Amino acid sequence: MTGKKKDKVESLGIVLLVLLISGACMIPCFKTGLPYGDDQQVHMLRVESILKALKSGQGYPVYIYQTMLEGYGYGMGIFYPDLFLLPAVLFRLCGASPEIAMKLYIYVLMVCTGAAAYYAGKCIGRSRYAGTITMVLYTMGHYHLEDVYTRFALGEVAAMIFVPLAFLGLYDLTEMGHSRKGLLCISYACLMLSHTISFVLCVVMGIIWVFAGWKKFAACRRLIVAVCMEVLACAVLTCYYWLPVLEQFVDGEFYVSNEPAFYTHEETQSLLAIVSGKYSVAFIEIGILALMLFVSIYKKVYNKKALMCLVTAAVLLVCETKIFPWKLIDRTPFVSIQFPWRLNMFTEFFAALGIALQSYELMTLISVRKRYMYACVAGSVLIGLFNMNMVWNIELGGYVNYPEGYADNAGSTDSIGFWEWLPAEGDLATSVGSENSGMVKCEDTYIQGRYGSDGSYEFDAGEAAGECVVPKYYYKGYEAIMADGRKLTVSKCLNNGLAEISVPPEAGKVIVKYKGTKIQYWSWIISISAVMLMLLILVMQHADEKGKIQSNME
């Protein structure tokens, strides 16, 4: 077999393995219904809200999920990026039921996680074997599977695709001469657009990495310029998300502004829970890595990078306990991290990468290397199946059915988590929970209007005049138009956080609709333009490299 043919066969084998491992991770989804997780109802509603917005011609981005809260609308689309939910929405548009669409989406996330972990492990370990072991252990990691099935934290699950790539980008910057230009920018941009908290944690990781390698940056100013360019490009690519968020925070306050949903010092792990409890990294992986390193140090064949992975994983585990000063963290904006055990997304990757690197190093002591490699891959799969068994048979919270049209039931649209992005003045008890729910209040008169399929609210003011409170939660960007085309000013009612308009006498029909803001519009244009420019640069670079190869052959 020629080298080229052998390379293709091995590549095909890796692709099939990624698909099979991802399929094995889907075992809990083979039953009827969706495995129930903590945040499941919220994410299912997000998908249905985006689907309805697109079908009604509202376009994308969908800033306000108008079907949530029985039509009152919830600005989750402004604060919680939903770009990586679009595959699930696409499956729904293609005719899949809510349940099947979500199962297909989870499989896509699994495949992407495996592919990213393999690429990072292969590049850092400089071998397909290292990439394969990293892929298996990371994709089938205990915390990763818990994120999918116990927590159903789809934002964080999507972010775990990019954690290995973000670390590879940092490693490439200082250890490989910044040969993968743009990787830092793209990986961090994807982190921001999948899960903001994971992005913040990765930013902290990046800052620590830069400080740890300050000598290299001091010796090579080109690296400083490279980091600045990557950061700037990331900011431009993602400005359609973070600029509208800042705009809303400048305009008003929200529940998250006043009182955090969780305090990190109250969510720390005990030492026992770290190795055996919920939200833990599989203790088997940490133990195997430690044992391998002890043996390797004795045999003097240990891998320094693997040792650093073990030390890093151990430090991260300690940081999940009360030993770390989380009470001080709670006095800063970093209280938004919520759960110290989120660090397990990094611990899981470092444990997987460390085992891959050290087991590859031990190969020098083995005469039958091919059998050793197969045995290690098989052992990694067994560890993953053990993790799967733990999550499936012990931690799974049952199954839930989501029939077609379930979100059309008004009562099914109230699951919005901890109200983080509700206006601070809002209270569900006085809006969706009141006896006058869905009605306009003009002074002391209540008027029944109707919600439109496009997210609008229409009512006939009749003889009423004055300040009218509309059953829509206020976010900057709403507009009100009378039948004759005149626009009315929309503001926030300080008593309940709803939209308020000043209605003139004999106004007739009034339509209240979320139009958006100029910052939302122009930031979207800038981000799209940046994506197009980036694609153009990549195409030109590829054409240039192809031309050089052809000229060398001639």
Side-chain angles (χ1 to χ4, degrees), residues 460-465 504-508:
D460 191 341
E463 299 296 324
E506 300 180 357

PDB file of all heavy atoms in Angstrom, residues 460-465 504-508:
ATOM      1  N   ASP A 460     -57.226  48.096  19.593  1.00  0.00           N
ATOM      2  CA  ASP A 460     -57.996  49.272  19.189  1.00  0.00           C
ATOM      3  C   ASP A 460     -58.184  50.161  20.413  1.00  0.00           C
ATOM      4  O   ASP A 460     -58.894  49.805  21.349  1.00  0.00           O
ATOM      5  CB  ASP A 460     -59.354  48.845  18.628  1.00  0.00           C
ATOM      6  CG  ASP A 460     -60.083  50.005  17.948  1.00  0.00           C
ATOM      7  OD1 ASP A 460     -59.728  51.172  18.224  1.00  0.00           O
ATOM      8  OD2 ASP A 460     -60.992  49.737  17.152  1.00  0.00           O
ATOM      9  N   ALA A 461     -57.520  51.298  20.409  1.00  0.00           N
ATOM     10  CA  ALA A 461     -57.573  52.200  21.567  1.00  0.00           C
ATOM     11  C   ALA A 461     -58.948  52.838  21.725  1.00  0.00           C
ATOM     12  O   ALA A 461     -59.327  53.249  22.832  1.00  0.00           O
ATOM     13  CB  ALA A 461     -56.505  53.281  21.435  1.00  0.00           C
ATOM     14  N   GLY A 462     -59.717  52.944  20.628  1.00  0.00           N
ATOM     15  CA  GLY A 462     -61.051  53.544  20.715  1.00  0.00           C
ATOM     16  C   GLY A 462     -60.994  54.979  21.219  1.00  0.00           C
ATOM     17  O   GLY A 462     -60.245  55.810  20.711  1.00  0.00           O
ATOM     18  N   GLU A 463     -61.773  55.255  22.270  1.00  0.00           N
ATOM     19  CA  GLU A 463     -61.822  56.599  22.838  1.00  0.00           C
ATOM     20  C   GLU A 463     -60.749  56.801  23.910  1.00  0.00           C
ATOM     21  O   GLU A 463     -60.599  57.896  24.448  1.00  0.00           O
ATOM     22  CB  GLU A 463     -63.195  56.849  23.467  1.00  0.00           C
ATOM     23  CG  GLU A 463     -64.354  56.763  22.488  1.00  0.00           C
ATOM     24  CD  GLU A 463     -64.261  57.844  21.417  1.00  0.00           C
ATOM     25  OE1 GLU A 463     -63.825  58.968  21.751  1.00  0.00           O
ATOM     26  OE2 GLU A 463     -64.620  57.569  20.258  1.00  0.00           O
ATOM     27  N   ALA A 464     -60.035  55.710  24.238  1.00  0.00           N
ATOM     28  CA  ALA A 464     -59.038  55.789  25.309  1.00  0.00           C
ATOM     29  C   ALA A 464     -57.878  56.694  24.895  1.00  0.00           C
ATOM     30  O   ALA A 464     -57.528  56.796  23.724  1.00  0.00           O
ATOM     31  CB  ALA A 464     -58.515  54.402  25.652  1.00  0.00           C
ATOM     32  N   ALA A 465     -57.309  57.364  25.866  1.00  0.00           N
ATOM     33  CA  ALA A 465     -56.147  58.224  25.617  1.00  0.00           C
ATOM     34  C   ALA A 465     -55.304  58.267  26.880  1.00  0.00           C
ATOM     35  O   ALA A 465     -55.772  57.968  27.975  1.00  0.00           O
ATOM     36  CB  ALA A 465     -56.603  59.615  25.237  1.00  0.00           C
ATOM     37  N   PRO A 504     -52.728  59.209  21.796  1.00  0.00           N
ATOM     38  CA  PRO A 504     -53.543  60.429  21.660  1.00  0.00           C
ATOM     39  C   PRO A 504     -55.027  60.068  21.550  1.00  0.00           C
ATOM     40  O   PRO A 504     -55.376  58.918  21.287  1.00  0.00           O
ATOM     41  CB  PRO A 504     -53.026  61.037  20.355  1.00  0.00           C
ATOM     42  CG  PRO A 504     -52.543  59.864  19.560  1.00  0.00           C
ATOM     43  CD  PRO A 504     -51.994  58.888  20.564  1.00  0.00           C
ATOM     44  N   PRO A 505     -55.923  61.035  21.742  1.00  0.00           N
ATOM     45  CA  PRO A 505     -57.370  60.777  21.627  1.00  0.00           C
ATOM     46  C   PRO A 505     -57.728  60.247  20.236  1.00  0.00           C
ATOM     47  O   PRO A 505     -57.162  60.675  19.226  1.00  0.00           O
ATOM     48  CB  PRO A 505     -58.004  62.139  21.887  1.00  0.00           C
ATOM     49  CG  PRO A 505     -56.964  62.886  22.678  1.00  0.00           C
ATOM     50  CD  PRO A 505     -55.644  62.420  22.158  1.00  0.00           C
ATOM     51  N   GLU A 506     -58.668  59.308  20.212  1.00  0.00           N
ATOM     52  CA  GLU A 506     -59.168  58.716  18.971  1.00  0.00           C
ATOM     53  C   GLU A 506     -58.029  58.184  18.098  1.00  0.00           C
ATOM     54  O   GLU A 506     -57.991  58.408  16.888  1.00  0.00           O
ATOM     55  CB  GLU A 506     -60.003  59.734  18.197  1.00  0.00           C
ATOM     56  CG  GLU A 506     -61.206  60.233  18.983  1.00  0.00           C
ATOM     57  CD  GLU A 506     -62.029  61.240  18.199  1.00  0.00           C
ATOM     58  OE1 GLU A 506     -61.625  61.588  17.074  1.00  0.00           O
ATOM     59  OE2 GLU A 506     -63.068  61.669  18.721  1.00  0.00           O
ATOM     60  N   ALA A 507     -57.117  57.464  18.708  1.00  0.00           N
ATOM     61  CA  ALA A 507     -55.956  56.926  17.974  1.00  0.00           C
ATOM     62  C   ALA A 507     -56.343  55.776  17.061  1.00  0.00           C
ATOM     63  O   ALA A 507     -55.707  55.528  16.038  1.00  0.00           O
ATOM     64  CB  ALA A 507     -54.891  56.456  18.970  1.00  0.00           C
ATOM     65  N   GLY A 508     -57.420  55.066  17.414  1.00  0.00           N
ATOM     66  CA  GLY A 508     -57.820  53.915  16.609  1.00  0.00           C
ATOM     67  C   GLY A 508     -56.912  52.721  16.855  1.00  0.00           C
ATOM     68  O   GLY A 508     -56.423  52.511  17.966  1.00  0.00           O
TER      69      GLY A 508
END
